[in-house]
Structure formats: C-alpha cells, structure tokens
Amino acid sequence: MRVEVMPELPADMLDDAWAFYRDTFDELRHMAANRHLMYRSEFDELMGDKRSDKYVSLDDDGSVLGMGVMTTDLDSVPLISPEYFEHHWPDLFAQRRLFYVVFVGSRKSEDGAGVFIALLRDMYEAIAAVDGRVFVDICSYNEERHALPRMIAMILGRAAGRAQPSRLDAQSFWMYEFPRPDQPSRRVERRTGFRERRRGQEERRRHLQ
C-alpha cells in the first residue's frame, strides 16, 4: 500500500476513484440531512481542480483503497464561508496556512483503519510544514455513531505529538409536528440523535432475548 499526492487525478483513475467514493460514503445519503455526497459531475470537477491536493492510497494493483482531498484555497470549496475563516484567523488565512479537508475515507475492510491512518499522517505532513491548522466538516451521524472527531484527534495527535480539537460550528435540523387534541403533548423537544436511537435498539434486542 502506498499513498500518492497529486493535484489532478488522471482520467484513467476516475472511474475507480468514483466507485470508491460512492461506496464508502453511500450511507450518508440517508443518515445525514445535509447532502454530503457529490454528484458524479461534481466529483469529476473536483478531481480535475488543481487548487486541491488529492491523497490517494493504492494497493499493489493500483486500485483505490482510500482517498482524501485537502486545500488551502478556501474559495474553491462550495458551501463554506471563506469570510468566516478570514475573520477569525486573518494572518493564517492570508498566508494560506488554513487547510480544509473536503473528504477523507478508506474502504470498509480489515485494512481500512490502517489506510485511514496513513492518509491522515500524509495529510498532516503538509500542515506541519507550514505550522497550519486543519478543518474538517463532520455530520452528527459520524460524530455520534463513529466518534470520528475523537478518532481523528488520536491519529493526528500521534503524528504531531498533540492535537487539540475544537468544535467551531454546528447546524441542527428541526421538525415541528402537530398532535391532535387527543394525543399526548411534550413540553420539551424530542431528541432523535443516533445515540438515543442505538440505545433504543439495544433495549429492544434485550427484550427479545
């Protein structure tokens, strides 16, 4: 297994890279309210955009095992506000020392964890070279179900000696229901987080045993 860094993905790798991306992140289509998956046209455009670096983990046959995309050109990332980063870190922003991870992931396999670690370590090298900071967008599902922020902090901490994570912002989606007069009402909002869902599933399994 090796990790290659390239500004543009070769055309003959696009189909394999797309298949990896689609299969790896497919569950987010129905687990995250925001659209996290790119369409194929958006993916191909990103793979050809030289403003971001593509970190590609390949096996001996050249098949894609993992990928990460990272950039310091925040204007190239859709749906984020470069002005936010410029306002809070003006010097680092001007010096292109703020790194944004568009996505990073590895195939779901026995070697997936090792591939993910290798990708993050290689991505950290670019950040460390300029004493930069890195930002990652993580949905509630990956935060609560997979503890992704903590996992990333552990991996980067081992590479850097220490990594201090901070939550910068969050967006929540609210649903409003309209119970009939004969239905019970609640005074507090109902939480529908993944931890609560998983707890309920575990309780139901115990009752069935």
Side-chain angles (χ1 to χ4, degrees):
M1 187 267 291
R2 66 187 189 278
V3 176
E4 295 188 6
V5 185
M6 53 192 79
E8 182 179 9
L9 208 66
D12 59 1
M13 289 183 61
L14 282 176
D15 287 343
D16 188 29
W18 167 252
F20 157 80
Y21 173 82
R22 180 195 59 210
D23 296 344
T24 301
F25 300 105
D26 183 67
E27 64 182 351
L28 295 182
R29 289 189 302 107
H30 50 82
M31 300 304 293
N34 262 343
R35 182 169 71 90
H36 282 258
L37 266 71
M38 291 176 278
Y39 298 126
R40 175 63 191 263
S41 59
E42 296 170 326
F43 181 83
D44 288 350
E45 183 177 355
L46 176 63
M47 293 300 105
D49 189 340
K50 296 181 180 180
R51 293 176 294 178
S52 62
D53 288 324
K54 289 75 179 174
Y55 292 75
V56 188
S57 175
L58 302 166
D59 65 11
D60 295 336
D61 297 328
S63 297
V64 176
L65 299 175
M67 281 192 67
V69 177
M70 187 169 69
T71 183
T72 58
D73 189 337
L74 303 188
D75 287 309
S76 70
V77 183
L79 299 182
I80 69 167
S81 174
E83 292 81 5
Y84 169 87
F85 298 92
E86 184 177 18
H87 174 78
H88 291 282
W89 301 277
D91 293 338
L92 294 177
F93 182 88
Q95 297 161 6
R96 293 291 182 91
R97 292 164 57 197
L98 299 180
F99 293 76
Y100 191 89
V101 175
V102 181
F103 72 85
V104 59
S106 60
R107 287 196 183 278
K108 299 174 182 178
S109 64
E110 293 181 0
D111 300 328
V115 172
F116 190 71
I117 292 171
L119 283 170
L120 287 185
R121 285 182 173 274
D122 276 45
M123 295 168 83
Y124 169 72
E125 289 182 4
I127 303 164
V130 297
D131 190 23
R133 299 185 186 183
V134 63
F135 303 88
V136 184
D137 176 13
I138 300 173
C139 68
S140 295
Y141 174 69
N142 278 331
E143 179 176 350
E144 298 181 13
R145 186 66 180 271
H146 299 301
L148 196 55
R150 183 168 60 86
M151 181 190 305
I152 291 174
M154 290 175 58
I155 296 170
L156 293 179
R158 290 170 183 167
R162 183 182 180 187
Q164 178 65 60
S166 299
R167 180 193 292 274
L168 299 183
D169 193 12
Q171 181 173 350
S172 60
F173 288 78
W174 290 78
M175 177 181 69
Y176 294 87
E177 301 173 81
F178 306 95
R180 296 191 304 270
D182 59 337
Q183 293 179 318
S185 61
R186 299 183 302 271
R187 293 200 174 188
V188 296
E189 69 271 11
R190 179 171 57 188
R191 298 291 180 176
T192 57
F194 297 100
R195 291 175 182 170
E196 286 72 15
R197 294 179 195 176
R198 182 168 54 182
R199 188 181 301 118
Q201 292 170 353
E202 292 172 352
E203 290 177 354
R204 284 193 294 272
R205 282 197 295 268
R206 282 199 296 271
H207 288 310
L208 292 173
Q209 291 175 351

